[in-house]
mmCIF file of all heavy atoms in Angstrom:
data_model
loop_
_atom_site.group_PDB
_atom_site.id
_atom_site.type_symbol
_atom_site.label_atom_id
_atom_site.label_comp_id
_atom_site.label_asym_id
_atom_site.label_seq_id
_atom_site.Cartn_x
_atom_site.Cartn_y
_atom_site.Cartn_z
ATOM 1 N N SER A 1 59.218 -10.976 7.654
ATOM 2 C CA SER A 1 59.669 -10.252 6.465
ATOM 3 C C SER A 1 58.542 -9.539 5.727
ATOM 4 O O SER A 1 58.777 -8.535 5.056
ATOM 5 C CB SER A 1 60.351 -11.214 5.490
ATOM 6 O OG SER A 1 61.479 -11.813 6.101
ATOM 7 N N VAL A 2 57.325 -10.078 5.821
ATOM 8 C CA VAL A 2 56.182 -9.524 5.099
ATOM 9 C C VAL A 2 54.996 -9.384 6.055
ATOM 10 O O VAL A 2 54.140 -10.274 6.132
ATOM 11 C CB VAL A 2 55.790 -10.422 3.892
ATOM 12 C CG1 VAL A 2 54.663 -9.773 3.094
ATOM 13 C CG2 VAL A 2 56.988 -10.721 3.014
ATOM 14 N N PRO A 3 54.943 -8.290 6.807
ATOM 15 C CA PRO A 3 53.809 -8.100 7.728
ATOM 16 C C PRO A 3 52.487 -8.122 6.958
ATOM 17 O O PRO A 3 52.386 -7.588 5.859
ATOM 18 C CB PRO A 3 54.076 -6.714 8.322
ATOM 19 C CG PRO A 3 55.547 -6.484 8.148
ATOM 20 C CD PRO A 3 55.907 -7.196 6.869
ATOM 21 N N GLY A 4 51.497 -8.793 7.511
ATOM 22 C CA GLY A 4 50.191 -8.881 6.862
ATOM 23 C C GLY A 4 50.122 -9.902 5.738
ATOM 24 O O GLY A 4 49.177 -9.901 4.954
ATOM 25 N N VAL A 5 51.119 -10.793 5.681
ATOM 26 C CA VAL A 5 51.129 -11.818 4.629
ATOM 27 C C VAL A 5 49.860 -12.677 4.697
ATOM 28 O O VAL A 5 49.352 -12.950 5.784
ATOM 29 C CB VAL A 5 52.403 -12.710 4.720
ATOM 30 C CG1 VAL A 5 52.399 -13.566 5.979
ATOM 31 C CG2 VAL A 5 52.566 -13.568 3.495
ATOM 32 N N ARG A 6 49.350 -13.035 3.562
ATOM 33 C CA ARG A 6 48.172 -13.906 3.469
ATOM 34 C C ARG A 6 48.660 -15.352 3.391
ATOM 35 O O ARG A 6 49.639 -15.642 2.695
ATOM 36 C CB ARG A 6 47.395 -13.547 2.200
ATOM 37 C CG ARG A 6 46.203 -14.392 1.954
ATOM 38 C CD ARG A 6 45.491 -13.935 0.690
ATOM 39 N NE ARG A 6 44.425 -14.860 0.392
ATOM 40 C CZ ARG A 6 44.020 -15.150 -0.822
ATOM 41 N NH1 ARG A 6 44.586 -14.562 -1.866
ATOM 42 N NH2 ARG A 6 43.059 -16.007 -1.021
ATOM 43 N N LYS A 7 47.966 -16.260 4.094
ATOM 44 C CA LYS A 7 48.371 -17.667 4.122
ATOM 45 C C LYS A 7 47.203 -18.557 3.724
ATOM 46 O O LYS A 7 46.058 -18.225 3.961
ATOM 47 C CB LYS A 7 48.818 -18.088 5.525
ATOM 48 C CG LYS A 7 50.000 -17.353 6.082
ATOM 49 C CD LYS A 7 50.304 -17.879 7.471
ATOM 50 C CE LYS A 7 51.348 -17.100 8.199
ATOM 51 N NZ LYS A 7 51.681 -17.722 9.493
ATOM 52 N N ALA A 8 47.541 -19.709 3.158
ATOM 53 C CA ALA A 8 46.545 -20.716 2.827
ATOM 54 C C ALA A 8 47.245 -22.042 2.599
ATOM 55 O O ALA A 8 48.455 -22.090 2.399
ATOM 56 C CB ALA A 8 45.778 -20.319 1.568
ATOM 57 N N VAL A 9 46.470 -23.116 2.651
ATOM 58 C CA VAL A 9 46.962 -24.428 2.217
ATOM 59 C C VAL A 9 46.190 -24.768 0.970
ATOM 60 O O VAL A 9 44.955 -24.751 0.961
ATOM 61 C CB VAL A 9 46.774 -25.511 3.301
ATOM 62 C CG1 VAL A 9 47.079 -26.890 2.724
ATOM 63 C CG2 VAL A 9 47.688 -25.227 4.488
ATOM 64 N N LYS A 10 46.916 -25.036 -0.089
ATOM 65 C CA LYS A 10 46.346 -25.448 -1.377
ATOM 66 C C LYS A 10 47.204 -26.579 -1.900
ATOM 67 O O LYS A 10 48.424 -26.524 -1.801
ATOM 68 C CB LYS A 10 46.360 -24.278 -2.366
ATOM 69 C CG LYS A 10 45.482 -23.111 -1.899
ATOM 70 C CD LYS A 10 45.511 -21.987 -2.894
ATOM 71 C CE LYS A 10 44.632 -20.835 -2.479
ATOM 72 N NZ LYS A 10 43.218 -21.155 -2.444
ATOM 73 N N TRP A 11 46.560 -27.598 -2.451
ATOM 74 C CA TRP A 11 47.282 -28.736 -3.009
ATOM 75 C C TRP A 11 48.274 -29.332 -2.012
ATOM 76 O O TRP A 11 49.404 -29.659 -2.360
ATOM 77 C CB TRP A 11 47.964 -28.361 -4.327
ATOM 78 C CG TRP A 11 46.994 -27.806 -5.303
ATOM 79 C CD1 TRP A 11 46.061 -28.485 -6.024
ATOM 80 C CD2 TRP A 11 46.825 -26.425 -5.645
ATOM 81 N NE1 TRP A 11 45.324 -27.617 -6.788
ATOM 82 C CE2 TRP A 11 45.778 -26.339 -6.574
ATOM 83 C CE3 TRP A 11 47.437 -25.240 -5.248
ATOM 84 C CZ2 TRP A 11 45.334 -25.139 -7.118
ATOM 85 C CZ3 TRP A 11 47.021 -24.054 -5.791
ATOM 86 C CH2 TRP A 11 45.974 -24.014 -6.722
ATOM 87 N N ASN A 12 47.869 -29.418 -0.746
ATOM 88 C CA ASN A 12 48.678 -29.994 0.333
ATOM 89 C C ASN A 12 50.003 -29.265 0.530
ATOM 90 O O ASN A 12 51.011 -29.883 0.888
ATOM 91 C CB ASN A 12 48.919 -31.491 0.095
ATOM 92 C CG ASN A 12 47.635 -32.247 0.111
ATOM 93 O OD1 ASN A 12 46.843 -32.119 1.039
ATOM 94 N ND2 ASN A 12 47.378 -33.022 -0.913
ATOM 95 N N SER A 13 50.012 -27.964 0.341
ATOM 96 C CA SER A 13 51.211 -27.154 0.544
ATOM 97 C C SER A 13 50.816 -25.770 1.059
ATOM 98 O O SER A 13 49.831 -25.195 0.577
ATOM 99 C CB SER A 13 51.961 -26.970 -0.771
ATOM 100 O OG SER A 13 52.426 -28.192 -1.258
ATOM 101 N N PRO A 14 51.586 -25.217 2.002
ATOM 102 C CA PRO A 14 51.320 -23.837 2.428
ATOM 103 C C PRO A 14 51.706 -22.849 1.322
ATOM 104 O O PRO A 14 52.731 -23.013 0.666
ATOM 105 C CB PRO A 14 52.247 -23.639 3.635
ATOM 106 C CG PRO A 14 52.647 -25.003 4.061
ATOM 107 C CD PRO A 14 52.599 -25.844 2.832
ATOM 108 N N PHE A 15 50.870 -21.848 1.146
ATOM 109 C CA PHE A 15 51.127 -20.775 0.189
ATOM 110 C C PHE A 15 51.119 -19.460 0.957
ATOM 111 O O PHE A 15 50.364 -19.287 1.914
ATOM 112 C CB PHE A 15 50.018 -20.725 -0.877
ATOM 113 C CG PHE A 15 50.202 -21.732 -1.972
ATOM 114 C CD1 PHE A 15 50.106 -23.089 -1.736
ATOM 115 C CD2 PHE A 15 50.460 -21.306 -3.264
ATOM 116 C CE1 PHE A 15 50.267 -24.006 -2.744
ATOM 117 C CE2 PHE A 15 50.623 -22.218 -4.289
ATOM 118 C CZ PHE A 15 50.533 -23.586 -4.037
ATOM 119 N N TYR A 16 51.947 -18.530 0.485
ATOM 120 C CA TYR A 16 52.055 -17.210 1.100
ATOM 121 C C TYR A 16 51.869 -16.174 -0.003
ATOM 122 O O TYR A 16 52.446 -16.322 -1.087
ATOM 123 C CB TYR A 16 53.416 -17.031 1.770
ATOM 124 C CG TYR A 16 53.638 -17.979 2.927
ATOM 125 C CD1 TYR A 16 54.065 -19.289 2.724
ATOM 126 C CD2 TYR A 16 53.412 -17.567 4.231
ATOM 127 C CE1 TYR A 16 54.247 -20.167 3.769
ATOM 128 C CE2 TYR A 16 53.605 -18.440 5.307
ATOM 129 C CZ TYR A 16 54.021 -19.724 5.055
ATOM 130 O OH TYR A 16 54.203 -20.608 6.121
ATOM 131 N N GLY A 17 51.065 -15.155 0.284
ATOM 132 C CA GLY A 17 50.793 -14.153 -0.754
ATOM 133 C C GLY A 17 50.387 -12.815 -0.160
ATOM 134 O O GLY A 17 50.382 -12.621 1.056
ATOM 135 N N ILE A 18 50.042 -11.930 -1.075
ATOM 136 C CA ILE A 18 49.574 -10.593 -0.719
ATOM 137 C C ILE A 18 48.126 -10.499 -1.217
ATOM 138 O O ILE A 18 47.864 -10.813 -2.385
ATOM 139 C CB ILE A 18 50.445 -9.492 -1.372
ATOM 140 C CG1 ILE A 18 51.913 -9.639 -0.985
ATOM 141 C CG2 ILE A 18 49.904 -8.096 -1.044
ATOM 142 C CD1 ILE A 18 52.206 -9.451 0.483
ATOM 143 N N GLU A 19 47.231 -10.085 -0.344
ATOM 144 C CA GLU A 19 45.809 -9.960 -0.690
ATOM 145 C C GLU A 19 45.652 -9.162 -1.980
ATOM 146 O O GLU A 19 46.207 -8.080 -2.126
ATOM 147 C CB GLU A 19 45.053 -9.283 0.456
ATOM 148 C CG GLU A 19 43.555 -9.257 0.253
ATOM 149 C CD GLU A 19 42.914 -10.635 0.313
ATOM 150 O OE1 GLU A 19 43.303 -11.436 1.174
ATOM 151 O OE2 GLU A 19 42.030 -10.906 -0.520
ATOM 152 N N GLY A 20 44.920 -9.724 -2.942
ATOM 153 C CA GLY A 20 44.653 -9.052 -4.197
ATOM 154 C C GLY A 20 45.781 -9.091 -5.211
ATOM 155 O O GLY A 20 45.635 -8.590 -6.326
ATOM 156 N N ARG A 21 46.930 -9.702 -4.837
ATOM 157 C CA ARG A 21 48.093 -9.718 -5.753
ATOM 158 C C ARG A 21 48.604 -11.117 -6.053
ATOM 159 O O ARG A 21 49.550 -11.275 -6.809
ATOM 160 C CB ARG A 21 49.222 -8.879 -5.139
ATOM 161 C CG ARG A 21 48.824 -7.408 -5.069
ATOM 162 C CD ARG A 21 49.912 -6.493 -4.640
ATOM 163 N NE ARG A 21 51.143 -6.728 -5.372
ATOM 164 C CZ ARG A 21 52.328 -6.385 -4.904
ATOM 165 N NH1 ARG A 21 52.443 -5.810 -3.734
ATOM 166 N NH2 ARG A 21 53.409 -6.611 -5.607
ATOM 167 N N GLY A 22 48.010 -12.117 -5.434
ATOM 168 C CA GLY A 22 48.406 -13.491 -5.731
ATOM 169 C C GLY A 22 49.438 -14.041 -4.753
ATOM 170 O O GLY A 22 49.783 -13.417 -3.753
ATOM 171 N N TRP A 23 49.926 -15.261 -5.079
ATOM 172 C CA TRP A 23 50.854 -15.996 -4.220
ATOM 173 C C TRP A 23 52.280 -15.789 -4.693
ATOM 174 O O TRP A 23 52.558 -15.855 -5.879
ATOM 175 C CB TRP A 23 50.510 -17.488 -4.240
ATOM 176 C CG TRP A 23 49.085 -17.747 -3.882
ATOM 177 C CD1 TRP A 23 48.077 -18.101 -4.725
ATOM 178 C CD2 TRP A 23 48.502 -17.633 -2.584
ATOM 179 N NE1 TRP A 23 46.905 -18.208 -4.031
ATOM 180 C CE2 TRP A 23 47.133 -17.937 -2.713
ATOM 181 C CE3 TRP A 23 48.996 -17.297 -1.327
ATOM 182 C CZ2 TRP A 23 46.252 -17.920 -1.633
ATOM 183 C CZ3 TRP A 23 48.120 -17.291 -0.252
ATOM 184 C CH2 TRP A 23 46.771 -17.594 -0.411
ATOM 185 N N PHE A 24 53.183 -15.552 -3.744
ATOM 186 C CA PHE A 24 54.590 -15.367 -4.136
ATOM 187 C C PHE A 24 55.468 -16.530 -3.740
ATOM 188 O O PHE A 24 56.584 -16.664 -4.258
ATOM 189 C CB PHE A 24 55.157 -14.048 -3.586
ATOM 190 C CG PHE A 24 55.206 -13.925 -2.087
ATOM 191 C CD1 PHE A 24 56.277 -14.421 -1.365
ATOM 192 C CD2 PHE A 24 54.185 -13.276 -1.413
ATOM 193 C CE1 PHE A 24 56.324 -14.289 0.016
ATOM 194 C CE2 PHE A 24 54.233 -13.121 -0.036
ATOM 195 C CZ PHE A 24 55.291 -13.647 0.686
ATOM 196 N N LEU A 25 55.018 -17.414 -2.858
ATOM 197 C CA LEU A 25 55.873 -18.476 -2.328
ATOM 198 C C LEU A 25 55.042 -19.678 -1.887
ATOM 199 O O LEU A 25 53.930 -19.506 -1.380
ATOM 200 C CB LEU A 25 56.653 -17.896 -1.143
ATOM 201 C CG LEU A 25 57.622 -18.745 -0.365
ATOM 202 C CD1 LEU A 25 58.708 -17.858 0.210
ATOM 203 C CD2 LEU A 25 56.945 -19.482 0.775
ATOM 204 N N GLY A 26 55.592 -20.858 -2.053
ATOM 205 C CA GLY A 26 54.963 -22.085 -1.564
ATOM 206 C C GLY A 26 56.015 -22.985 -0.949
ATOM 207 O O GLY A 26 57.194 -22.918 -1.311
ATOM 208 N N ILE A 27 55.589 -23.825 -0.018
ATOM 209 C CA ILE A 27 56.499 -24.791 0.636
ATOM 210 C C ILE A 27 55.926 -26.186 0.414
ATOM 211 O O ILE A 27 54.706 -26.383 0.491
ATOM 212 C CB ILE A 27 56.613 -24.497 2.149
ATOM 213 C CG1 ILE A 27 57.205 -23.109 2.386
ATOM 214 C CG2 ILE A 27 57.433 -25.570 2.861
ATOM 215 C CD1 ILE A 27 57.193 -22.656 3.842
ATOM 216 N N HIS A 28 56.801 -27.140 0.148
ATOM 217 C CA HIS A 28 56.358 -28.515 -0.053
ATOM 218 C C HIS A 28 57.391 -29.472 0.551
ATOM 219 O O HIS A 28 58.591 -29.241 0.434
ATOM 220 C CB HIS A 28 56.185 -28.806 -1.548
ATOM 221 C CG HIS A 28 55.414 -30.054 -1.813
ATOM 222 N ND1 HIS A 28 54.048 -30.100 -1.798
ATOM 223 C CD2 HIS A 28 55.843 -31.311 -2.085
ATOM 224 C CE1 HIS A 28 53.651 -31.343 -2.084
ATOM 225 N NE2 HIS A 28 54.729 -32.089 -2.242
ATOM 226 N N SER A 29 56.879 -30.522 1.179
ATOM 227 C CA SER A 29 57.757 -31.518 1.818
ATOM 228 C C SER A 29 58.019 -32.688 0.871
ATOM 229 O O SER A 29 57.081 -33.270 0.331
ATOM 230 C CB SER A 29 57.107 -32.036 3.101
ATOM 231 O OG SER A 29 57.905 -33.038 3.685
ATOM 232 N N PHE A 30 59.281 -33.003 0.692
ATOM 233 C CA PHE A 30 59.708 -34.179 -0.052
ATOM 234 C C PHE A 30 60.438 -35.096 0.925
ATOM 235 O O PHE A 30 60.721 -34.716 2.055
ATOM 236 C CB PHE A 30 60.602 -33.782 -1.221
ATOM 237 C CG PHE A 30 59.852 -33.070 -2.316
ATOM 238 C CD1 PHE A 30 59.731 -31.683 -2.302
ATOM 239 C CD2 PHE A 30 59.253 -33.776 -3.344
ATOM 240 C CE1 PHE A 30 59.018 -31.014 -3.298
ATOM 241 C CE2 PHE A 30 58.541 -33.121 -4.342
ATOM 242 C CZ PHE A 30 58.424 -31.740 -4.316
ATOM 243 N N THR A 31 60.761 -36.288 0.497
ATOM 244 C CA THR A 31 61.354 -37.283 1.386
ATOM 245 C C THR A 31 62.576 -36.757 2.138
ATOM 246 O O THR A 31 62.674 -36.909 3.346
ATOM 247 C CB THR A 31 61.749 -38.543 0.593
ATOM 248 O OG1 THR A 31 60.584 -39.047 -0.055
ATOM 249 C CG2 THR A 31 62.312 -39.619 1.521
ATOM 250 N N HIS A 32 63.494 -36.101 1.452
ATOM 251 C CA HIS A 32 64.754 -35.704 2.076
ATOM 252 C C HIS A 32 64.958 -34.192 2.188
ATOM 253 O O HIS A 32 66.050 -33.755 2.573
ATOM 254 C CB HIS A 32 65.935 -36.317 1.305
ATOM 255 C CG HIS A 32 65.887 -37.810 1.281
ATOM 256 N ND1 HIS A 32 66.076 -38.594 2.405
ATOM 257 C CD2 HIS A 32 65.635 -38.678 0.271
ATOM 258 C CE1 HIS A 32 65.971 -39.859 2.084
ATOM 259 N NE2 HIS A 32 65.689 -39.952 0.798
ATOM 260 N N TYR A 33 63.932 -33.405 1.844
ATOM 261 C CA TYR A 33 64.100 -31.955 1.929
ATOM 262 C C TYR A 33 62.758 -31.242 1.913
ATOM 263 O O TYR A 33 61.735 -31.812 1.555
ATOM 264 C CB TYR A 33 64.977 -31.437 0.773
ATOM 265 C CG TYR A 33 64.439 -31.738 -0.607
ATOM 266 C CD1 TYR A 33 63.678 -30.805 -1.303
ATOM 267 C CD2 TYR A 33 64.710 -32.949 -1.235
ATOM 268 C CE1 TYR A 33 63.187 -31.068 -2.559
ATOM 269 C CE2 TYR A 33 64.229 -33.234 -2.497
ATOM 270 C CZ TYR A 33 63.460 -32.274 -3.161
ATOM 271 O OH TYR A 33 62.983 -32.554 -4.410
ATOM 272 N N LEU A 34 62.790 -29.968 2.315
ATOM 273 C CA LEU A 34 61.654 -29.054 2.138
ATOM 274 C C LEU A 34 62.014 -28.151 0.978
ATOM 275 O O LEU A 34 63.131 -27.629 0.909
ATOM 276 C CB LEU A 34 61.415 -28.196 3.376
ATOM 277 C CG LEU A 34 60.646 -28.784 4.531
ATOM 278 C CD1 LEU A 34 60.441 -27.745 5.639
ATOM 279 C CD2 LEU A 34 59.303 -29.343 4.117
ATOM 280 N N LYS A 35 61.077 -27.952 0.080
ATOM 281 C CA LYS A 35 61.272 -27.065 -1.066
ATOM 282 C C LYS A 35 60.549 -25.765 -0.797
ATOM 283 O O LYS A 35 59.353 -25.752 -0.493
ATOM 284 C CB LYS A 35 60.748 -27.712 -2.339
ATOM 285 C CG LYS A 35 60.908 -26.828 -3.586
ATOM 286 C CD LYS A 35 60.407 -27.476 -4.839
ATOM 287 C CE LYS A 35 61.283 -28.586 -5.302
ATOM 288 N NZ LYS A 35 62.585 -28.238 -5.791
ATOM 289 N N VAL A 36 61.270 -24.657 -0.941
ATOM 290 C CA VAL A 36 60.689 -23.316 -0.874
ATOM 291 C C VAL A 36 60.689 -22.809 -2.311
ATOM 292 O O VAL A 36 61.745 -22.609 -2.902
ATOM 293 C CB VAL A 36 61.504 -22.373 0.024
ATOM 294 C CG1 VAL A 36 60.878 -20.986 0.056
ATOM 295 C CG2 VAL A 36 61.608 -22.934 1.439
ATOM 296 N N ALA A 37 59.489 -22.678 -2.898
ATOM 297 C CA ALA A 37 59.368 -22.257 -4.285
ATOM 298 C C ALA A 37 58.930 -20.807 -4.383
ATOM 299 O O ALA A 37 57.925 -20.414 -3.794
ATOM 300 C CB ALA A 37 58.357 -23.156 -5.011
ATOM 301 N N PHE A 38 59.682 -20.034 -5.132
ATOM 302 C CA PHE A 38 59.358 -18.626 -5.410
ATOM 303 C C PHE A 38 58.743 -18.592 -6.805
ATOM 304 O O PHE A 38 59.438 -18.873 -7.786
ATOM 305 C CB PHE A 38 60.613 -17.756 -5.334
ATOM 306 C CG PHE A 38 61.241 -17.728 -3.977
ATOM 307 C CD1 PHE A 38 62.277 -18.593 -3.650
ATOM 308 C CD2 PHE A 38 60.789 -16.831 -3.013
ATOM 309 C CE1 PHE A 38 62.853 -18.568 -2.395
ATOM 310 C CE2 PHE A 38 61.368 -16.801 -1.749
ATOM 311 C CZ PHE A 38 62.384 -17.672 -1.439
ATOM 312 N N PHE A 39 57.453 -18.233 -6.894
ATOM 313 C CA PHE A 39 56.739 -18.352 -8.152
ATOM 314 C C PHE A 39 57.224 -17.377 -9.226
ATOM 315 O O PHE A 39 57.052 -17.637 -10.407
ATOM 316 C CB PHE A 39 55.252 -18.216 -7.915
ATOM 317 C CG PHE A 39 54.740 -19.258 -6.947
ATOM 318 C CD1 PHE A 39 53.989 -18.906 -5.838
ATOM 319 C CD2 PHE A 39 55.020 -20.600 -7.134
ATOM 320 C CE1 PHE A 39 53.531 -19.868 -4.945
ATOM 321 C CE2 PHE A 39 54.583 -21.573 -6.257
ATOM 322 C CZ PHE A 39 53.831 -21.203 -5.160
ATOM 323 N N ARG A 40 57.840 -16.287 -8.850
ATOM 324 C CA ARG A 40 58.465 -15.356 -9.803
ATOM 325 C C ARG A 40 59.965 -15.287 -9.541
ATOM 326 O O ARG A 40 60.596 -14.247 -9.597
ATOM 327 C CB ARG A 40 57.856 -13.962 -9.681
ATOM 328 C CG ARG A 40 56.356 -13.882 -9.868
ATOM 329 C CD ARG A 40 55.964 -13.933 -11.333
ATOM 330 N NE ARG A 40 54.532 -13.709 -11.455
ATOM 331 C CZ ARG A 40 53.709 -14.524 -12.071
ATOM 332 N NH1 ARG A 40 54.159 -15.605 -12.631
ATOM 333 N NH2 ARG A 40 52.425 -14.261 -12.131
ATOM 334 N N GLY A 41 60.534 -16.451 -9.248
ATOM 335 C CA GLY A 41 61.920 -16.553 -8.827
ATOM 336 C C GLY A 41 62.968 -16.073 -9.806
ATOM 337 O O GLY A 41 64.044 -15.656 -9.413
ATOM 338 N N THR A 42 62.655 -16.098 -11.119
ATOM 339 C CA THR A 42 63.645 -15.608 -12.091
ATOM 340 C C THR A 42 63.834 -14.099 -11.972
ATOM 341 O O THR A 42 64.836 -13.564 -12.477
ATOM 342 C CB THR A 42 63.226 -15.964 -13.534
ATOM 343 O OG1 THR A 42 61.928 -15.437 -13.795
ATOM 344 C CG2 THR A 42 63.256 -17.470 -13.741
ATOM 345 N N SER A 43 62.921 -13.404 -11.289
ATOM 346 C CA SER A 43 63.046 -11.959 -11.096
ATOM 347 C C SER A 43 63.795 -11.589 -9.822
ATOM 348 O O SER A 43 64.049 -10.407 -9.582
ATOM 349 C CB SER A 43 61.657 -11.324 -11.051
ATOM 350 O OG SER A 43 60.978 -11.532 -12.266
ATOM 351 N N LEU A 44 64.150 -12.573 -9.024
ATOM 352 C CA LEU A 44 64.847 -12.298 -7.761
ATOM 353 C C LEU A 44 66.340 -12.180 -8.014
ATOM 354 O O LEU A 44 66.886 -12.798 -8.932
ATOM 355 C CB LEU A 44 64.574 -13.405 -6.747
ATOM 356 C CG LEU A 44 63.086 -13.697 -6.433
ATOM 357 C CD1 LEU A 44 62.970 -14.821 -5.424
ATOM 358 C CD2 LEU A 44 62.375 -12.461 -5.963
#
């Protein structure tokens, strides 16, 4: 969906972002689910 996406692991979670523009999404594992967090989700 986002060619050239920037990736990193921070705080034991994968983060996805755009170089020079910050992180737009993070993933975190919980006991019974994976959470996909959109950091500006109220704008979606």
Side-chain angles (χ1 to χ4, degrees):
S1 299
V2 184
V5 68
R6 178 179 173 212
K7 299 180 188 184
V9 170
K10 297 180 178 295
W11 305 285
N12 297 309
S13 296
F15 279 67
Y16 296 82
I18 303 296
E19 186 67 42
R21 294 187 48 203
W23 305 106
F24 63 85
L25 179 151
I27 298 173
H28 194 83
S29 177
F30 290 90
T31 303
H32 300 292
Y33 59 95
L34 279 183
K35 179 179 288 292
V36 179
F38 297 95
F39 302 128
R40 303 282 186 235
T42 56
S43 298
L44 304 180

